[in-house]
């Protein structure tokens, strides 16, 4: 590995690392990795057990003299009388980096966690909790990798660390507010608007999404969380579905909801008398992976998928799939139409 540590007498240090790894100590919890690192820097890794994948990279100049570092596993013992089947497991177990030193150059901590144990929020929406001198600070990681299940963050101090999940927020926190417009790559814009009173889609909870680009503008009409029709500004047509569909259905409930096939009244152009057609719609939302917008990493992300298949007198048989990615407080951060993804340009 590039930047591997230099440990002085190789045989002595290797024997010390093997002896300490996974061993118990009379003065504290079990030591799962140990190494002596000097001014030239080095790396300490944990290769097995609950903390497998934990890595502390100490750069050159971070410590002034050779220092004996230890990583201790702080996994709490089982609670008597509480079955593992009913216990809610955290995303990771705590650990301790000793001694309590301050790094003159920022070290990099790579800590494993279990995305499947992040509940009611995105699997990447985690924090690194640091406890030192009785104070608790939660840091947003510089890197969250769901695939390899780890975080990375620069640290100034050794001490007690644990990966925890961030607090969940209401689903409505992800939605973009009416009257706002965001710009996407490819000269696209996405806006959320009130529905004009003269529209057949008007109502107390009505709202429409405007997706505008060089090749036209689509309008999707909602009644609260239910999609009930659409329009094309360039094509000058309108669909009013006989039944609306709850597209804001979580993926875990999708099998029980299924898709909807409904008759639709199609006006093409919008001033013409409507003719009957057919629409099949399916929609679900799921937790998403972290995404970047510019230089900012967004850890709490959801995505909404809407699939449409129609049979109309003017367009014949066709289909379209939309994907929308949202982050709380920011609204839409990316959009895909038929597999072509357009990301938001800035926050």
């Amino acid at each position: 590995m590039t930047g591997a540590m230099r440990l002085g007498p190789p045989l002595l240090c290797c024997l010390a690392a093997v002896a300490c790894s996974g061993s118990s100590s009379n003065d504290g919890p079990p030591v799962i990795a140990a190494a002596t690192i000097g001014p030239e820097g080095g790396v300490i890794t944990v290769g097995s057990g609950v903390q497998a994948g934990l890595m502390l990279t100490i750069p050159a100049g971070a410590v002034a003299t050779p220092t004996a570092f230890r990583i201790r596993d702080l996994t709490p013992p089982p609670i008597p009388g509480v079955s593992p089947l009913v216990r809610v497991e955290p995303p990771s177990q705590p650990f301790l980096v000793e001694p309590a030193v301050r790094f003159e150059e920022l070290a990099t901590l790579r800590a494993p966690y279990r995305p499947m144990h992040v509940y009611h929020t995105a699997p990447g929406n985690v924090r690194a909790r640091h406890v030192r001198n009785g104070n608790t600070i939660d840091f947003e990681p510089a890197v969250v990798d769901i695939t390899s299940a780890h975080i990375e963050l620069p640290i100034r101090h050794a001490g007690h660390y644990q990966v925890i999940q961030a607090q969940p927020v209401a689903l409505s926190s992800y939605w973009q507010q009416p009257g706002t417009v965001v710009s996407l790559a490819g000269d696209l814009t996405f806006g959320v608007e009130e529905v004009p009173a003269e529209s057949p889609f008007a109502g107390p909870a009505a709202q429409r999404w405007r997706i505008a680009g060089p090749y036209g503008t689509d309008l999707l009409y909602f009644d609260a969380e239910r999609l009930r029709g659409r329009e094309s500004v360039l094509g000058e047509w309108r669909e009013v579905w006989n039944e609306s569909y709850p597209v804001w259905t979580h993926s875990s409930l999708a099998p029980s909801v299924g898709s909807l096939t409904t008759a639709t009244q199609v006006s093409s152009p919008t001033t013409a008398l409507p003719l009957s057609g057919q629409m099949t719609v399916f929609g679900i939302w799921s937790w998403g992976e972290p995404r970047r917008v510019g230089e900012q990493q967004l850890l709490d992300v959801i995505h909404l998928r809407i699939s449409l298949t129609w049979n109309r007198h003017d367009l014949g048989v066709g289909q379209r799939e939309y994907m929308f990615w949202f982050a709380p407080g920011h609204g839409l951060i990316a959009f895909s139409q038929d597999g072509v993804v357009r990301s938001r340009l800035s926050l």
Side-chain angles (χ1 to χ4, degrees):
M1 177 180 292
T2 302
M5 60 185 176
R6 300 182 181 89
L7 298 177
L11 179 58
L12 177 60
C13 291
C14 287
L15 289 175
V18 171
C20 291
S21 180
S23 66
S24 297
S25 172
N26 293 330
D27 59 355
V31 176
I32 54 176
T36 297
I37 296 177
E40 68 276 13
V43 179
I44 308 173
T45 61
V46 178
S48 62
V50 69
Q51 304 290 1
L54 196 159
M55 178 185 298
L56 177 63
T57 302
I58 301 174
V63 293
T65 60
T67 303
F69 286 94
R70 298 172 300 276
I71 299 178
R72 296 181 184 267
D73 179 33
L74 301 183
T75 300
I79 301 174
V82 178
S83 169
L85 299 178
V86 301
R87 187 170 61 241
V88 177
E89 295 289 344
S92 79
Q93 298 297 343
F95 58 90
L96 178 66
V97 179
E98 295 178 324
V101 300
R102 180 185 187 277
F103 298 112
E104 296 303 317
E105 300 290 339
L106 288 173
T108 299
L109 179 63
R110 174 173 173 159
Y113 83 104
R114 297 172 294 179
M116 74 287 296
H117 287 271
V118 176
Y119 303 102
H120 308 300
T121 189
N125 191 24
V126 294
R127 302 291 185 268
R129 173 160 290 178
H130 178 42
V131 180
R132 188 172 62 89
N133 297 330
N135 297 315
T136 300
I137 305 175
D138 292 344
F139 294 99
E140 183 172 309
V143 175
V144 177
D145 190 323
I146 294 176
T147 302
S148 59
H150 76 268
I151 70 166
E152 293 182 10
L153 73 154
I155 63 172
R156 180 66 71 183
H157 297 273
H160 178 292
Y161 286 91
Q162 183 180 10
V163 181
I164 64 166
Q165 75 168 57
Q167 288 296 318
V169 298
L171 180 61
S172 58
S173 301
Y174 298 83
W175 299 342
Q176 188 163 314
Q177 294 301 305
T180 59
V181 179
V182 299
S183 297
L184 307 168
D187 294 327
L188 266 67
T189 60
F190 174 84
V192 179
E193 306 171 345
E194 302 290 346
V195 177
E198 64 274 13
S199 170
F201 299 105
Q207 189 180 85
R208 71 182 180 189
W209 294 0
R210 180 181 294 269
I211 307 161
Y215 304 106
T217 298
D218 287 348
L219 301 175
L220 301 181
Y221 285 87
F222 292 82
D223 183 9
E225 299 179 16
R226 304 179 70 93
L227 184 61
R228 57 184 300 237
R230 60 179 186 151
E231 292 179 353
S232 170
V233 175
L234 181 64
E236 297 185 343
W237 53 256
R238 174 190 298 128
E239 292 173 351
V240 180
W241 303 348
N242 286 18
E243 297 181 64
S244 60
Y245 181 87
V247 293
W248 284 106
T249 298
H250 189 262
S251 56
S252 63
L253 302 176
S256 61
V257 176
S259 62
L260 168 71
T261 298
T262 179
T264 178
Q265 305 305 309
V266 181
S267 299
S268 180
T270 53
T271 54
L273 293 176
L275 297 175
S276 292
Q278 188 179 79
M279 173 63 71
T280 299
V281 55
F282 177 75
I284 58 171
W285 73 269
S286 307
W287 301 111
E289 296 188 3
R291 295 185 69 93
R292 286 192 175 274
V293 177
E295 296 299 317
Q296 186 164 345
Q297 177 182 228
L298 299 174
L299 302 180
D300 192 3
V301 175
I302 65 172
H303 54 78
L304 172 69
R305 172 190 167 203
I306 300 176
S307 297
L308 305 176
T309 302
W310 60 82
N311 188 352
R312 292 174 26 179
H313 72 282
D314 55 337
L315 299 180
V317 176
Q319 59 184 17
R320 173 152 295 171
E321 181 171 271
Y322 298 108
M323 287 282 291
F324 305 86
W325 286 264
F326 297 91
H330 299 292
L332 187 81
I333 58 171
F335 165 73
S336 168
Q337 179 174 305
D338 297 333
V340 180
V341 179
R342 305 292 188 184
S343 296
R344 186 162 162 179
L345 301 176
S346 62
L347 294 176

